[in-house]
Structure formats: C-alpha cells, structure tokens
C-alpha cells in the first residue's frame, strides 16, 4: 500500500518501501492460496493437495525471513518516519501473522491426512461454510492492505465475530455427534481441530486488519477479544 | 494558514508567542506564529531552509533588534512578561535567555575568562572565590570540567570543536539563564561530539527551558519533547515529538518528515 501522494526525494528509499509492501502482498497471496487449498483438501479428501500445502508452507516461512531482513535493513539504513515508520512496522508484524496463518493451514492439511483414514464426516459441509467465510475475510483484509482501504479492514474485523459464532455452534454440534456415537470421536476431534484452526486464522486476519487500521490512521486499534474468546464460552 | 496543534496540555508555559511576525524590509519572513513552549523541556524547531525557524528563535531574545531592517510584530512573553516592551533591557533579557550558535564562538580569551565574562559584567560574583565557583559549576554542568580543569588559563580557541561548543554552553549557563536557545548547535560537530551535546541537552532540561533549531530530524526526535514544524514562514504543526514523528496530521509535515518534499 502506498499512502503518500508525493514520491521520496531519495528514490531508492521509496523503492525499498514499495518493494516491502509488494512482498507482504505477495506473501499474503500465497498464504491465502494455502488456506483455500487446505480447505479443498479436506473437502475433497485430497491427500496430494494436502501434501502440497505442507510443502508450500516452507516458502511462506522463507518469505517471512526475507521481509524481516528487509525491515531490519530499512531501520538501520533509512530510519523511516511517520507513515513510512508505520508501514515498516506493519510489514514486519503482518508477515509474522501471515506466517502463523501458513502454519495453521499446514495443520489443517495434516488433519486431512488423518480424516481420510475414516468415513466421510457429516459435519464437513458446516466446516466448509466456516472455511469459506474465513477465506473471504482473508481476501478482504489483504485487499485492505493492498488498497489502503479502512472500510475493508473494519469489515474484516466484524466478520471475525461471525466466524467465532459459527465455531461455537460447530463445537456444540461436534460434541453431540461424539456423545451419540463413540466411533465418531476420532474423526470428530480431527474436524474440531480443523474448525479451531480456521477460527485462529480468523484471529490472525483480525490482527492484520488492526495493523492496516494503524498504518492508515496512526492510531492503535484496541479490541478486547478476551471477552469473546470462543473457548471460554464453550 | 492555520496551524495544526495537537491537543496537549501545556501547563508550565515558559515562553509564549502570539501572532508573531517578522519582516525584513518588504519581505515577510514569518507571520502569525503562536506557540506555548513548556519550561524544563526541550522544544525543537524543524523545517526546510528559509522556513523561518531561526527567525522565530531569534525573537525570543530579541536578536532581530540587531538587524536594522527587521521588524517584529505580535507578542513574545517570558513568564507572562512582554519582552518587546520598552522597559525591558535587551542586555538583561539576553542574560535570561542564553544563546548557542551553529559554530562555537568562544571569546579570544582563556577558558576561565570565557565562562567568567558574563558573571563579571552582570556583577553576579562578589569575589574571586565566588567567581571560581561559578566557573567550575558551569563547566561541570556543561560536561567539560574534567577535560579542562588543569588548563583553565589556556585560550578557549585551543579546544576541539565539540569542547568549544560545550565551553560556549558553559558560558551561557554561567549567567544563570532561564531559557537557552540553540541554533543548530551540532551541525559543525562530529557524531561523538554531537552525542555529548545531546546528552548535555538532556541533562540541562531538568533546569532550563531549551529551544533548539536543527536540520537533523533524527536529532529533533532524539532530544526534544515538543516539536514545531515550520514551512514557508508559517508554523504548520506543533505537538509532542513522538506524535509529530509517528503520526503527523498535516500533509506538509508528513512529506517533510518522511523525506518527500518536492
């Protein structure tokens, strides 16, 4: 994202900042694909796709390290100020959030392997619905970052409440299944982990949205999420 | 143009400027400057060359009086007292408001006499012992005592640039000023000497109101608590240094601070 109307007097500084934000956007794109693919893998019981998600997550880790290096370099050599400072900090933190999302996608892909060993689970559709919402939230938040859109960032934060609600109801439903039929305990637990990972991805997306809010306004977005922690309610 | 003020409560304003304007002949250097500068803190004036920051600084100890074609309008108050009124003696005023310049300008006298000069002409010491004490305290406050204690009789000009600048600060402190104005005090110094002056500024702010003009934004960020940004003779934005450097409100401040001035 570029929030400045004027270009840098020192062109190479401006180019470094642009490149940093491009890299974060590219990393976001890759992570978004991983989330979408790991969900597909679970839905279609596609073990190969799951393996490919696990493999591509290493690329995400490498990207995070590259961004981190570039951020350190910018601080050491350029001493960014004002919007540039906020953008640099945001790039650092967002890349960390994205790396976590990549790990969660990898976890979901691993669950897929285990799920494929048992009968198809009846709850798959509901988890898919939740997954679609998480993906659209992620799309929104990455768009908020690329386009510098405060509206998209705020909308993504709101979506998180919806995701938490779906997770809570999924949790109760899966418990019911397990109580009714002990043989479903193993796949239901796997499904629960998938849902939990998706819920966590929603939280990371929200953190990214908060960083976008910070870059654009210079103000901290404080949200007391402990009150709506889905695990506490259940 | 109107100034952007961050809503910071300044309860202990030492220096108050209201609608200050300065013209040199027919040319307007600055206009409509209003600022409340807190005591016991460092306020930095930043802005591109020719923006009027040094001109505003010089209104605070009436240095513009020395320029024939300069005309100062508006009000400048120290502790609520108008300094441009006829009853204020500029010589006495400049003892209350000390100044340090870009290039160190020690008198062609000994280190001791450089510092003792002010107290002598203002009659601040009643005897040799008292004068010795003032010289020692001032040099200590300026962080120079340990380096010059054994050679006070040597010429001030024999010191290094950084030492000379600290000598000049000691000279300013010796007359017990309340406000210290610094016009680019480090621009002729190397990074180590600069760091020593910055450390000194940080110590001095416990007792003085310090106003510093600097071209180095990094220095303004390091030493000051409040920052005022000037552009083309206007005060554009004034607020806590941290806010100015992380979240400036005016586009011009933003462009200047991030290095985007076209």
């Amino acid at each position: 994202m570029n929030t400045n109307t004027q270009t840098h007097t020192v062109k190479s500084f401006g180019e470094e900042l642009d490149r940093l934000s491009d890299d974060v956007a590219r990393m976001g794109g890759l992570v978004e694909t991983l989330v979408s693919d790991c969900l597909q893998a679970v839905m279609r019981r596609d073990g190969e796709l799951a393996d490919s998600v696990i493999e591509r997550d290493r690329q995400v880790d490498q990207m995070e390290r590259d961004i981190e290096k570039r951020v350190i370099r910018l601080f050491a050599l350029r001493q960014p100020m004002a919007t540039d400072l906020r953008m640099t900090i945001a790039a650092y933190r967002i890349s960390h959030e994205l790396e976590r999302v990549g790990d969660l996608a990898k976890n979901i892909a691993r669950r897929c392997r285990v799920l494929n060993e048992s009968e198809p689970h009846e709850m798959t559709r509901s988890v898919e619905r939740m997954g679609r919402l998480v993906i659209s939230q992620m799309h929104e938040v990455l768009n908020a970052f690329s386009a510098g859109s405060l509206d998209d960032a705020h909308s993504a934060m709101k979506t998180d409440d919806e995701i938490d609600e779906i997770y809570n109801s999924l949790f109760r439903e899966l418990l019911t299944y397990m109580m009714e039929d002990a043989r479903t305990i193993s796949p239901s637990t796997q499904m629960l982990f998938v849902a939990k990972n998706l819920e966590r991805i929603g939280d990371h997306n929200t953190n990214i949205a908060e960083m976008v809010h910070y870059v654009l306004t210079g103000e901290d977005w404080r949200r007391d999420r402990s009150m709506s922690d889905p695990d506490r309610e259940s | 143009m109107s100034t952007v003020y961050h809503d910071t409560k300044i309860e202990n304003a030492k220096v108050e400027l209201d609608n200050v304007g300065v013209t040199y002949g027919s040319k307007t250097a600055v206009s409509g400057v209003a600022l409340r500068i807190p005591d016991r803190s460092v306020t930095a004036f930043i802005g591109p060359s020719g923006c009027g920051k040094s001109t505003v600084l010089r209104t605070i100890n009436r240095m513009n009086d020395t320029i024939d074609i300069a005309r100062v309008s508006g009000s400048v108050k120290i502790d609520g007292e108008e300094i441009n009124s006829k009853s204020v003696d500029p010589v006495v005023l400049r003892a209350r408001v000390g100044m340090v310049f870009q290039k160190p300008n020690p008198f062609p006298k000994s280190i001791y006499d450089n510092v003792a000069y002010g107290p002598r002409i203002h009659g601040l010491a009643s005897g040799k012992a008292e004068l010795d004490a003032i010289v020692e305290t001032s040099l200590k406050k300026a962080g120079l005592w340990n380096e010059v204690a054994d050679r006070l009789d040597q010429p001030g000009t024999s010191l290094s640039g950084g030492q000379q600048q600290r000598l000049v600060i000691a000279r300013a402190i010796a007359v017990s000023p309340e406000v210290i104005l610094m016009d680019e005090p480090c621009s002729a110094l190397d990074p180590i000497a600069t760091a020593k002056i910055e450390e000194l500024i940080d110590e001095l702010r416990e007792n003085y109101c310090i106003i510093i003009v600097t071209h180095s934004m990094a220095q303004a960020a390091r030493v000051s608590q409040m920052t005022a940004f000037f552009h083309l003779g206007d005060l554009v934005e004034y607020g806590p240094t941290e806010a100015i450097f992380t979240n400036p409100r005016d586009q011009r401040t933003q462009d200047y601070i991030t290095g985007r001035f076209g």
Side-chain angles (χ1 to χ4, degrees):
Chain A
M1 121 175 69
N2 193 344
T3 53
N4 286 285
T5 44
Q6 297 212 44
T7 53
H8 254 283
T9 310
V10 181
K11 282 204 196 68
S12 57
F13 183 13
E15 284 161 9
E16 277 177 49
L17 284 164
D18 288 346
R19 178 146 183 227
L20 185 66
S21 106
D22 289 348
D23 280 357
V24 172
R26 203 170 308 123
M27 183 180 180
L30 176 62
V31 173
E32 191 184 349
T33 314
L34 292 192
V35 175
S36 163
D37 283 356
C38 73
L39 197 66
Q40 283 287 338
V42 172
M43 298 310 126
R44 293 203 219 129
R45 300 168 69 83
D46 184 342
E48 266 175 48
L49 189 58
D51 287 345
S52 127
V53 168
I54 293 167
E55 175 57 32
R56 277 178 289 162
D57 180 54
R58 286 158 63 170
Q59 230 173 302
V60 172
D61 295 350
Q62 184 57 46
M63 282 171 132
E64 189 208 8
R65 281 193 292 273
D66 287 345
I67 289 169
E68 187 180 289
K69 257 187 230 156
R70 198 154 304 132
V71 167
I72 291 171
R73 199 186 121 88
L74 264 170
F75 275 121
L77 305 184
R78 306 289 194 183
Q79 293 98 43
M81 291 287 185
T83 45
D84 297 342
L85 173 69
R86 293 182 339 234
M87 177 62 216
T88 311
I89 286 285
Y92 180 75
R93 288 192 46 186
I94 291 173
S95 70
H96 181 66
E97 299 290 343
L98 288 172
E99 188 273 333
R100 297 294 307 132
V101 173
D103 282 352
L104 292 165
K106 185 173 70 179
N107 279 346
I108 292 173
R110 287 201 180 120
R111 304 289 162 201
C112 170
R113 277 296 193 193
V114 186
L115 277 166
N116 287 352
E117 286 161 16
S118 45
E119 291 294 299
H121 197 285
E122 289 182 48
M123 288 294 292
T124 311
R125 285 278 156 231
S126 309
V127 173
E128 184 181 14
R129 220 170 25 249
M130 182 184 177
R132 297 227 175 281
L133 192 59
V134 170
I135 290 166
S136 85
Q137 180 203 32
M138 183 152 200
H139 192 77
E140 199 163 37
V141 84
L142 292 174
N143 191 52
F145 175 79
S146 300
S149 159
L150 202 56
D151 286 346
D152 280 350
H154 290 169
S155 159
M157 291 182 201
K158 281 202 197 89
T159 308
D160 197 45
D161 296 335
E162 215 179 314
I163 292 169
D164 288 350
E165 268 173 42
I166 298 181
Y167 173 72
N168 284 329
S169 69
L170 266 174
F171 182 86
R172 282 190 292 269
E173 281 181 63
L174 284 163
L175 273 188
T176 318
Y177 271 104
M178 290 189 257
M179 283 187 288
E180 280 175 2
D181 183 355
R183 283 170 302 175
T184 70
I185 286 179
S186 171
S188 292
T189 310
Q190 295 303 326
M191 230 18 147
L192 188 59
F193 277 127
V194 171
K196 179 68 200 169
N197 285 337
L198 288 171
E199 188 271 322
R200 292 292 302 139
I201 291 174
D203 288 346
H204 290 295
N205 288 342
T206 306
N207 291 345
I208 296 173
E210 289 173 4
M211 285 318 292
V212 173
H213 175 93
Y214 172 68
V215 175
L216 294 174
T217 65
E219 281 154 20
D220 239 349
W221 182 276
R222 289 270 171 248
R223 234 172 81 105
D224 188 8
R225 221 173 312 132
S226 64
M227 296 310 286
S228 63
D229 187 335
D231 281 345
R232 271 177 40 161
E233 287 172 32
S234 44
Chain B
M1 241 176 282
S2 62
T3 306
V4 176
Y5 294 97
H6 292 239
D7 46 348
T8 317
K9 206 137 180 72
I10 295 168
E11 280 161 0
N12 57 340
K14 181 76 182 174
V15 180
E16 290 169 277
L17 282 73
D18 194 26
N19 199 22
V20 168
V22 181
T23 56
Y24 295 116
S26 60
K27 189 182 173 295
T28 302
V30 292
S31 62
V33 173
L35 267 176
R36 287 163 52 83
I37 297 168
D39 199 5
R40 288 161 206 275
S41 71
V42 181
T43 299
F45 288 2
I46 61 169
S49 295
C51 67
K53 57 192 188 298
S54 289
T55 303
V56 172
L57 188 78
R58 292 158 65 92
T59 63
I60 299 167
N61 67 347
R62 285 176 60 176
M63 285 290 279
N64 293 306
D65 286 15
T66 61
I67 303 166
D68 278 344
I69 58 165
R71 292 285 172 274
V72 179
S73 59
S75 150
V76 180
K77 289 178 182 169
I78 294 177
D79 288 336
E81 186 196 355
E82 180 59 53
I83 65 164
N84 284 315
S85 78
K86 293 236 159 38
S87 60
V88 172
D89 177 354
V91 175
V92 176
L93 172 70
R94 286 174 202 144
R96 287 176 67 196
V97 185
M99 189 153 187
V100 176
F101 297 88
Q102 181 170 357
K103 274 200 190 149
N105 55 348
F107 301 136
K109 291 168 177 292
S110 72
I111 293 169
Y112 182 96
D113 286 338
N114 259 284
V115 183
Y117 185 85
R120 272 189 189 128
I121 61 164
H122 289 288
L124 298 180
S126 57
K128 176 86 171 86
E130 207 172 324
L131 194 58
D132 284 353
I134 292 176
V135 169
E136 182 175 337
T137 322
S138 306
L139 284 168
K140 276 183 175 160
K141 278 189 192 158
L144 191 59
W145 177 252
N146 290 339
E147 291 159 59
V148 300
D150 55 351
R151 48 173 171 147
L152 293 173
D153 55 340
Q154 287 181 18
T157 49
S158 69
L159 298 170
S160 73
Q163 288 173 324
Q164 285 188 24
Q165 199 61 305
R166 279 179 281 151
L167 175 63
V168 172
I169 292 172
R171 186 178 68 191
I173 294 170
V175 292
S176 305
E178 297 154 42
V179 181
I180 303 175
L181 310 178
M182 298 187 174
D183 195 350
E184 301 240 22
C186 300
S187 59
L189 305 181
D190 75 15
I192 304 293
T194 299
K196 284 184 183 167
I197 299 286
E198 287 179 2
E199 167 63 17
L200 175 58
I201 291 171
D202 203 44
E203 282 169 16
L204 291 175
R205 86 177 150 95
E206 283 179 25
N207 300 305
Y208 306 94
C209 167
I210 297 170
I211 306 165
I212 179 172
V213 162
T214 175
H215 269 140
S216 160
M217 281 181 287
Q219 178 169 64
R222 287 192 298 261
V223 302
S224 72
Q225 287 73 53
M226 297 292 287
T227 296
F229 170 64
F230 293 88
H231 181 50
L232 298 176
D234 291 318
L235 171 61
V236 172
E237 187 163 349
Y238 179 55
T241 299
E242 192 189 328
I244 296 284
F245 282 92
T246 58
N247 194 12
R249 308 253 177 88
D250 191 283
Q251 189 61 42
R252 289 166 291 171
T253 318
Q254 167 95 312
D255 288 343
Y256 182 68
I257 282 177
T258 58
R260 281 184 174 83
F261 245 37

